[in-house]
Amino acid sequence: MNVDGRWRRTIEVRDPGTVIVLDQAKLPHEVSWLALDDLDATAHAIREMHVRGAPLIGATAAHGVALALRGGRSLDEACTMLAASRPTAINLRWALDHMRLRIAEVPADTQVDVADAEAARICDADVACCEAIGDHGVALIRAVAERHGGRPVQVLTHCNAGWLATVDWGTALAPIYKAHEAGIAVHVWVDETRPRNQGLLTAWELAQHGVPHTVIADNAGGHLMQQGKVDLCLVGTDRTTRNGDVCNKIGTYLKALAAHDNGVPFYAAVPSSSIDWTVGEPSEIPIEERAGDELRYLAGRGDRGGTTRIAILAGTTAVGNPAFDVTPRRLMTGLVTERGITSATAAGLAALFPEHAADHAAARDPDAGRPERGKDRR
Amino acid sequence: MNVDGRWRRTIEVRDPGTVIVLDQAKLPHEVSWLALDDLDATAHAIREMHVRGAPLIGATAAHGVALALRGGRSLDEACTMLAASRPTAINLRWALDHMRLRIAEVPADTQVDVADAEAARICDADVACCEAIGDHGVALIRAVAERHGGRPVQVLTHCNAGWLATVDWGTALAPIYKAHEAGIAVHVWVDETRPRNQGLLTAWELAQHGVPHTVIADNAGGHLMQQGKVDLCLVGTDRTTRNGDVCNKIGTYLKALAAHDNGVPFYAAVPSSSIDWTVGEPSEIPIEERAGDELRYLAGRGDRGGTTRIAILAGTTAVGNPAFDVTPRRLMTGLVTERGITSATAAGLAALFPEHAADHAAARDPDAGRPERGKDRR
């Protein structure tokens, strides 16, 4: 999508040994690109969230494997170090597994070239996947717009599941960009998303595209839904169980509760790479506890210009910082995947992805006895 | 409660023409006291949240009336200007009505002295009220502690309903201070409470008293409840309907939804001065929309020391900033008042406050047909 009016991807190959990524730790205060030329730099960029968002983390890790091999590091070392850089993101594991399989099957002297090609292919596939999510999801927005007769469709989103979280288009924001391109009036309520304020990234990228939006504190969304000011919630996911539970940025669960309480449809944009077919229940997902300093310190523009850091809490104050929560499938209206929209159920996901689901979901659907609820529920 | 080891009130009379208040706009980064010596300074201190918290706003406004009369301003002008300084806080209106009635009935040459005396009486009454809330509410904490057999009772609170929000003791925190004084092990999850971060005030005052606590992002509480890490939620209120709906700092509703979803008891500490007997339904409460700059700017300690302000959003970014939400009575486990704990129902409140309720609640209890739910429901 656009950066200063020019269409860019969040990760681009500058030359065979160097990948450049938009440095998201500096956004939205500064636009700068970070050059990654080895395994350590790549793992560091993921761990310190210079790149972030599950799909982009996967794409970056794939390039990280290629950079590692080019630098003479082993495939095992690369995968181990990169897998440890963000434990919750399922796409990271998926991308590393994919790279490992592809590379292991080719002769040693072609591994570097194969790794480069596979990393590029993962990036292209991510773009295609996101665009497909946008093409399917736009139907949800169009349906509201048709009921409204022109009044802007009010969409609430949490965190950043935009193009910055992917290689291009985004997941949750892809339907919004598609709606905007189709001339459907849409306005986005952007959750600030403490503690890392990824909502500011969402606001930044929406502004770059001219999509109307309003930033709100994470506390405000429930009230807006009570007031009838939200038509639709669209969020991303870091990991989705095969039964449709959605692990996403901390606070997503609270918005899903409010949506449920107020009859507001609540959808997650779910690229199939984020579905963990080995996991059936929320309790099986490890939740990353991040450093308290993420809450204690904030960066922004100082009164004299330039990026300035402040502490809002003393270092001695105890801070709890779980990075994700799991929204139980019972609170999800549906899931928008690259193959279409389905219910947040084992059956719904299995119908769209039979090749993955066969081993896991069919034999043991925990909701087989649940009352019918989603539109694709069979 | 303690400031640097010395027991203070948040508002104290220094001499008949000067009231000093702890400047809460500077806390927790700086401890400083603000001298108020006329009507304008008092209205400014309330409007700009140098004093905050419904009970303290009421007490400060009462002193503001006294300062206004001493400065030759009219009672009408004082009440009009002070009432406009924070439109949602019911205690403000209550305190001003009380002052107006008392002052109007005495000869003109005694009005200044009567105003001083009444303002002092309102402050003393607030302290007694808060202490009574603490004495009643501690039973909730003690009951959990007895089930736990010594494991600390985990209490989640939102915003600051501590002694800083009152003249002393606090409302929601009063039971916690009483538990701590009684030797009951208690640990408080402190919501940061964006956009104004009043949770940092809560952390500051708990630290001054040695009460164990952990600051969390507003997004985290739902996850903690899913994980079984919260035994009890205790929040304050800015206005409570006669039927038990609780208007409190934005975001309270989201925590109440999570508590309900996870079977965690959710109580509000409700001084009777915060009950609006004229209001029956949430929709009747006007919600203050505050300036977007509250979200755009943050103050904290800079890397070189001293309080520094940063902008996290450009001034051109649209910001929505509703200051309160209303938690419907169906989500409240109960209300802790200065006369005891009751259900969040018209009947429950009327039984405790028959002198106020007679005109309003008895004849038209909207929940008269609802199934029994609260412990004091009759």
Side-chain angles (χ1 to χ4, degrees):
Chain A
M1 311 302 280
N2 281 348
V3 180
D4 297 331
R6 187 179 146 213
W7 198 291
R8 301 290 297 266
R9 287 183 173 190
T10 49
I11 182 164
E12 297 175 349
V13 176
R14 193 163 64 188
D15 58 60
T18 313
V19 169
I20 59 170
V21 293
L22 191 52
D23 186 351
Q24 302 194 27
K26 292 198 173 153
L27 284 179
H29 313 295
E30 282 177 50
V31 177
S32 73
W33 295 80
L34 194 64
L36 307 176
D37 54 12
D38 65 11
L39 171 61
D40 305 290
T42 309
H44 181 269
I46 295 172
R47 190 170 50 245
E48 300 303 321
M49 296 175 70
H50 295 282
V51 295
R52 40 150 298 285
L56 178 57
I57 288 171
T60 307
H63 274 296
V65 170
L67 292 171
L69 296 184
R70 185 173 296 276
R73 313 281 279 268
S74 77
L75 182 59
D76 272 350
E77 185 191 2
C79 290
T80 303
M81 185 185 286
L82 290 163
S85 60
R86 289 295 299 277
T88 304
I90 178 70
N91 299 58
L92 177 62
R93 217 172 68 190
W94 176 89
L96 294 173
D97 286 349
H98 178 88
M99 294 296 284
R100 186 192 288 275
L101 276 173
R102 280 290 178 280
I103 293 164
E105 71 191 11
V106 301
D109 63 345
T110 66
Q111 287 185 340
V112 170
D113 290 340
V114 167
D116 280 343
E118 281 304 315
R121 218 184 59 77
I122 284 176
C123 290
D124 291 343
D126 183 61
V127 176
C129 173
C130 288
E131 193 162 6
I133 286 172
D135 288 330
H136 291 298
V138 72
L140 300 173
I141 297 173
R142 182 175 284 119
V144 177
E146 284 168 2
R147 284 202 309 275
H148 278 188
R151 180 164 68 75
V153 180
Q154 304 286 335
V155 183
L156 183 141
T157 193
H158 190 68
C159 196
N160 175 263
W163 81 272
L164 289 172
T166 63
V167 178
D168 210 344
W169 288 103
T171 55
L173 296 195
I176 292 166
Y177 287 124
K178 288 285 180 177
H180 187 68
E181 290 207 344
I184 301 168
V186 57
H187 168 267
V188 186
W189 295 108
V190 179
D191 274 358
E192 182 183 35
T193 318
R194 289 284 289 146
R196 291 191 70 100
N197 293 3
Q198 290 97 337
L200 310 189
L201 300 176
T202 296
W204 180 82
E205 64 165 274
L206 291 172
Q208 293 278 332
H209 273 263
V211 181
H213 61 279
T214 300
V215 176
I216 52 175
D218 299 306
N219 287 319
H223 173 70
L224 294 176
M225 292 190 230
Q226 287 178 312
Q227 302 281 304
K229 292 180 178 168
V230 180
D231 297 311
L232 177 68
C233 298
L234 261 174
V235 299
T237 177
D238 287 75
R239 189 186 290 208
T240 303
T241 72
R242 64 172 178 271
N243 297 317
D245 310 285
V246 172
C247 179
N248 190 43
K249 183 58 54 192
I250 189 82
T252 303
Y253 166 57
L254 293 170
K255 294 302 144 59
L257 285 167
H260 188 261
D261 199 44
N262 292 284
V264 175
F266 194 95
Y267 286 86
V270 178
S272 60
S273 59
S274 74
I275 302 170
D276 190 341
W277 299 99
T278 70
V279 163
E281 296 299 326
S283 59
E284 298 169 44
I285 301 178
I287 299 295
E288 184 181 357
E289 176 80 24
R290 291 182 61 84
D293 281 356
E294 290 192 346
L295 211 89
R296 292 190 188 97
Y297 293 96
L298 275 134
R301 194 157 286 278
D303 279 341
R304 288 185 222 144
T307 303
T308 299
R309 192 178 81 145
I310 59 168
I312 59 169
L313 276 170
T316 50
T317 304
V319 170
N321 187 18
F324 302 94
D325 61 26
V326 184
T327 299
R329 51 194 180 266
R330 66 185 153 84
L331 298 176
M332 304 296 309
T333 308
L335 309 176
V336 185
T337 78
E338 71 269 31
R339 291 192 191 164
I341 300 174
T342 187
S343 62
T345 61
L349 286 172
L352 286 184
F353 300 97
E355 73 279 26
H356 292 293
D359 294 341
H360 303 286
R364 39 193 166 103
D365 179 353
D367 303 315
R370 265 205 309 178
E372 189 147 330
R373 181 174 63 84
K375 65 168 96 172
D376 288 337
R377 176 93 187 167
R378 273 172 272 262
Chain B
M1 312 302 280
N2 281 348
V3 180
D4 297 330
R6 188 180 145 211
W7 198 291
R8 300 289 298 265
R9 288 184 172 188
T10 50
I11 181 164
E12 298 175 349
V13 176
R14 192 163 65 188
D15 58 60
T18 313
V19 169
I20 58 169
V21 293
L22 191 52
D23 186 352
Q24 301 194 27
K26 293 198 173 153
L27 282 180
H29 314 295
E30 281 177 50
V31 177
S32 73
W33 295 80
L34 195 64
L36 308 176
D37 53 12
D38 65 10
L39 170 61
D40 306 289
T42 309
H44 181 268
I46 295 172
R47 191 170 49 244
E48 301 303 321
M49 296 177 70
H50 295 284
V51 295
R52 40 151 297 285
L56 177 58
I57 288 171
T60 307
H63 275 296
V65 170
L67 291 171
L69 296 183
R70 185 174 296 276
R73 313 282 279 269
S74 78
L75 183 59
D76 273 351
E77 185 190 2
C79 290
T80 302
M81 184 185 286
L82 290 163
S85 60
R86 289 295 299 277
T88 306
I90 178 69
N91 298 58
L92 177 62
R93 216 173 70 191
W94 176 87
L96 293 172
D97 287 349
H98 179 87
M99 294 296 284
R100 187 192 288 275
L101 276 173
R102 280 290 179 279
I103 292 164
E105 71 190 9
V106 301
D109 62 345
T110 65
Q111 287 186 340
V112 170
D113 290 341
V114 167
D116 280 344
E118 283 303 316
R121 219 183 58 77
I122 284 176
C123 290
D124 290 345
D126 183 62
V127 176
C129 173
C130 288
E131 194 163 3
I133 286 172
D135 288 331
H136 292 298
V138 73
L140 300 173
I141 298 173
R142 182 174 284 119
V144 177
E146 284 168 1
R147 285 203 307 277
H148 277 188
R151 181 164 67 77
V153 180
Q154 304 287 336
V155 183
L156 184 141
T157 193
H158 190 68
C159 196
N160 176 263
W163 81 272
L164 289 171
T166 63
V167 179
D168 210 344
W169 286 104
T171 55
L173 295 196
I176 292 166
Y177 287 124
K178 287 287 182 177
H180 186 69
E181 291 208 342
I184 301 169
V186 57
H187 168 268
V188 187
W189 295 108
V190 179
D191 274 0
E192 181 184 36
T193 318
R194 290 284 290 147
R196 290 190 70 101
N197 293 5
Q198 291 96 337
L200 310 191
L201 300 176
T202 296
W204 180 83
E205 63 165 275
L206 290 173
Q208 293 278 330
H209 274 264
V211 180
H213 60 280
T214 300
V215 176
I216 52 175
D218 299 305
N219 286 320
H223 172 71
L224 294 177
M225 291 190 231
Q226 287 179 310
Q227 301 281 305
K229 292 180 178 168
V230 180
D231 297 311
L232 177 69
C233 298
L234 261 174
V235 299
T237 177
D238 287 76
R239 189 186 291 208
T240 303
T241 72
R242 64 171 178 272
N243 298 318
D245 310 285
V246 172
C247 179
N248 190 44
K249 182 58 54 192
I250 190 81
T252 303
Y253 165 57
L254 293 170
K255 296 300 145 60
L257 285 167
H260 187 261
D261 199 44
N262 292 283
V264 175
F266 194 94
Y267 285 87
V270 179
S272 60
S273 58
S274 74
I275 302 170
D276 190 341
W277 299 98
T278 70
V279 163
E281 295 300 325
S283 59
E284 298 169 44
I285 300 179
I287 299 295
E288 183 181 358
E289 176 81 22
R290 293 182 60 86
D293 281 355
E294 290 192 345
L295 212 89
R296 292 191 189 98
Y297 294 96
L298 276 133
R301 194 157 286 276
D303 279 341
R304 287 185 223 144
T307 302
T308 299
R309 192 179 81 145
I310 59 169
I312 60 169
L313 276 170
T316 50
T317 305
V319 170
N321 187 17
F324 302 94
D325 60 26
V326 183
T327 299
R329 51 194 181 267
R330 65 185 153 84
L331 297 176
M332 305 295 309
T333 309
L335 309 175
V336 185
T337 77
E338 71 269 31
R339 291 192 190 166
I341 299 173
T342 187
S343 63
T345 61
L349 287 172
L352 286 184
F353 301 97
E355 73 279 24
H356 293 294
D359 293 343
H360 303 288
R364 39 193 167 104
D365 178 353
D367 302 315
R370 266 206 307 179
E372 188 149 329
R373 178 174 66 84
K375 66 168 97 168
D376 289 337
R377 177 97 185 164
R378 271 170 274 261

